[in-house]
Amino acid sequence: MNTAGHPEATAHRGLELTPFRGLRYDPDRVGSLAAVTSPPYDVVVRPDGLHHLQDADPYNIVRLILPQAATPGARNEQAAKTLRRWLSEGVLTTDTEPGLYVYEQHDGDGMLQRGIIGALRVTEPAEGLVLPHEDVMPHVVADRAALMRATSANLEPLLLTYRGNGTAADTTAVIERTVEGPPLLATTTEDGFSHRLWSITDPADLARVQSDLARHQALIADGHHRWATYRRLRAEHPSPSAWDYGLVLLVDTARYPLRVRAIHRLLHGLTVRDALAALDGLFRVRRLEVPLPQALETLADAACAGNAFLIAGDGSFHLVDRPDAALLARTVPADRPAAWRTLDATVLHATLLAHVWHIPEDDPTRIAYIHDTAATVRKAERDGGTAVLMHPVREDVVRDLARQGVTMPRKSTSFGPKPASGLVLRALDL
């Protein structure tokens, strides 16, 4: 398959997924496997969710992925010391032989996701093998890089998707045969998702998976900052080295479609009253005296007709839609495809944040990016800020833009379910 001028199997080696010796919790040393897991670092709602996870178990993975100390250097050193201590105490143990790992998640609503965890060769965007679809914030990449340097570990897998073809010899066939056997671990987390993990160590199965994946390209579904971190760290270390690879979960969305949800914005220091006043004459604003679920339904209907957002934080919801055409022409860059120019995230960042509210998109003192809708609203109401609730983008739009080499504004999408952090780690010096 050729897309956007990127031959997947001719000019490049293709996706190169390699086995590794997984680092996993010893279930006899922790309260429960569920109690030591965490959502990915950027999904944890701080400080509430962070404190909850820290209290869940003294060995919760959040102590590694979000260490707490007075300075960044102290935080990273603390994570490194904690990891070394857990290794020396046998809380974390290394699997005896290298393998790829089949990972399954399912919930009570019929959502089933299966994929394969391995160490993926880190490539540059020009190779057209791992396609980003969002921009990244340099300070977040720097933060993650410092943590990975200190711990010499990939502490959580990022989520990549690809489109398989359903043949009998492909990766999905190996996965579905593997899950018929007993798993290495099984647990259910408090969000209702059940998690199971198996290892693939048979040379024939490993060869089938690697041969199949070498014909594909992948889309970064979740983990743009960690992928950018992998690229930075690989450039810092002479090749060949363990830093040439990074921990990922690869999911075939032709077989296991992901959910696509929005990531919301919390604007610090901007009241709802001031936010709405600045929109006068630029957008249509309607107050909705309905609960959150109905407000989101109204947002979904409005988003079908054009750009639309929900503003919250004052006890009500306000539908903001129908932007002034002249305003968009003045503020949205014209050198991108129409699909990009009309994205809600594009209008939010280029028009609302930059030109109407004057809020820098990468200033953590002014803006936060939160995945949980209700939590975003609660924090806005509690802090006196403004919540901007978004409608999700379709996966086909995301993939098409990525194949054109066009990145979306940062934090435009939330693919899921995301892999739980803490089920398998990769130590680079083992």
Side-chain angles (χ1 to χ4, degrees):
M1 176 180 69
N2 295 339
T3 55
H6 297 311
E8 291 192 18
T10 55
H12 306 292
R13 288 180 286 173
L15 296 176
E16 186 180 314
L17 194 69
T18 65
F20 68 105
R21 294 176 64 202
L23 195 60
R24 298 189 292 112
Y25 282 99
D26 181 344
D28 294 331
R29 297 296 308 273
V30 298
S32 73
L33 289 175
V36 297
T37 64
S38 164
Y41 79 98
D42 58 337
V43 182
V44 176
V45 178
R46 287 166 272 190
D48 303 0
L50 179 63
H51 294 156
H52 173 74
L53 291 165
Q54 286 178 329
D55 294 342
D57 191 284
Y59 300 117
N60 189 283
I61 191 68
V62 78
R63 298 178 186 275
L64 299 183
I65 63 175
L66 288 173
Q68 299 300 293
T71 66
R75 288 196 294 270
N76 296 329
E77 181 56 29
Q78 177 176 296
K81 289 180 178 178
T82 300
L83 178 58
R84 290 194 295 267
R85 186 175 73 251
W86 290 357
L87 286 167
S88 65
E89 294 175 353
V91 173
L92 288 170
T93 60
T94 308
D95 286 337
T96 55
E97 57 182 319
L100 299 175
Y101 294 83
V102 173
Y103 177 46
E104 176 191 272
Q105 295 168 276
H106 68 87
D107 65 8
D109 296 327
M111 179 71 189
L112 175 65
Q113 178 175 288
R114 288 174 179 152
I116 192 155
I117 296 174
L120 185 69
R121 182 175 67 90
V122 178
T123 58
E124 294 301 311
E127 297 181 63
L129 294 174
V130 176
L131 305 178
H133 69 268
E134 290 183 359
D135 294 330
V136 297
M137 292 175 269
H139 74 276
V140 177
V141 176
D143 173 74
R144 290 294 100 184
L147 178 63
M148 286 191 203
R149 285 191 206 98
T151 57
S152 191
N154 299 152
L155 300 172
E156 46 185 348
L158 54 86
L159 175 61
L160 304 182
T161 72
Y162 69 100
R163 303 288 290 182
N165 55 18
T167 63
D170 69 5
T171 299
T172 299
V174 175
I175 288 173
E176 294 183 356
R177 187 174 68 252
T178 300
V179 300
E180 295 175 359
L184 295 173
L185 63 85
T187 190
T188 300
T189 46
E190 62 179 21
D191 59 3
F193 269 91
S194 296
H195 308 261
R196 296 197 294 172
L197 192 76
W198 296 258
S199 64
I200 301 174
T201 56
D202 177 75
D205 284 340
L206 292 174
R208 284 190 197 98
V209 170
Q210 292 172 317
S211 174
D212 175 48
L213 292 177
R215 297 192 296 269
H216 292 287
Q217 66 182 174
L219 174 73
I220 301 176
D222 185 70
H224 283 81
H225 290 91
R226 281 168 287 168
W227 184 255
T229 300
Y230 290 167
R231 289 173 49 215
R232 174 181 292 193
L233 294 172
R234 184 196 64 167
E236 293 175 1
H237 294 81
S239 186
S241 77
W243 298 95
D244 290 342
Y245 297 83
L247 188 64
V248 305
L249 166 65
L250 274 163
V251 175
D252 176 4
T253 54
R255 180 67 180 89
Y256 297 105
L258 272 65
R259 292 172 176 160
V260 187
R261 291 181 170 143
I263 302 176
H264 310 295
R265 276 66 170 164
L266 176 62
L267 310 181
H268 306 301
L270 179 67
T271 66
V272 171
R273 180 177 179 178
D274 289 343
L276 296 177
L279 300 178
D280 187 37
L282 302 176
F283 285 76
R284 182 176 70 167
V285 179
R286 287 181 288 162
R287 187 185 186 97
L288 306 177
E289 296 292 351
V290 296
L292 178 57
Q294 285 89 329
L296 292 173
E297 290 177 4
T298 303
L299 173 63
D301 291 340
C304 292
N307 299 120
F309 312 91
L310 275 181
I311 303 295
D314 63 350
S316 297
F317 297 101
H318 307 267
L319 180 67
V320 174
D321 64 354
R322 298 188 183 179
D324 177 69
L327 173 69
L328 297 184
R330 197 166 65 244
T331 57
V332 176
D335 61 345
R336 307 286 180 88
W340 181 90
R341 297 196 307 272
T342 55
L343 288 170
D344 287 337
T346 297
V347 172
L348 172 62
H349 284 253
T351 304
L352 287 171
L353 293 179
H355 289 273
V356 177
W357 293 326
H358 306 290
I359 294 177
E361 63 182 11
D362 57 357
D363 183 351
T365 68
R366 301 292 306 281
I367 186 170
Y369 298 83
I370 304 178
H371 294 71
D372 185 279
T373 309
T376 310
V377 175
R378 286 195 304 269
K379 289 178 71 65
E381 291 177 344
R382 184 181 66 192
D383 301 341
T386 294
V388 182
L389 307 183
M390 310 279 288
H391 184 67
V393 184
R394 299 193 318 273
E395 181 182 358
D396 62 312
V397 173
V398 176
R399 191 175 294 274
D400 287 345
L401 285 172
R403 284 174 170 166
Q404 295 177 61
V406 178
T407 55
M408 299 165 65
R410 59 198 57 171
K411 301 294 184 181
S412 293
T413 58
S414 176
F415 284 89
K418 304 179 191 304
S421 298
L423 296 181
V424 61
L425 295 65
R426 174 177 175 251
L428 278 76
D429 50 7
L430 291 178

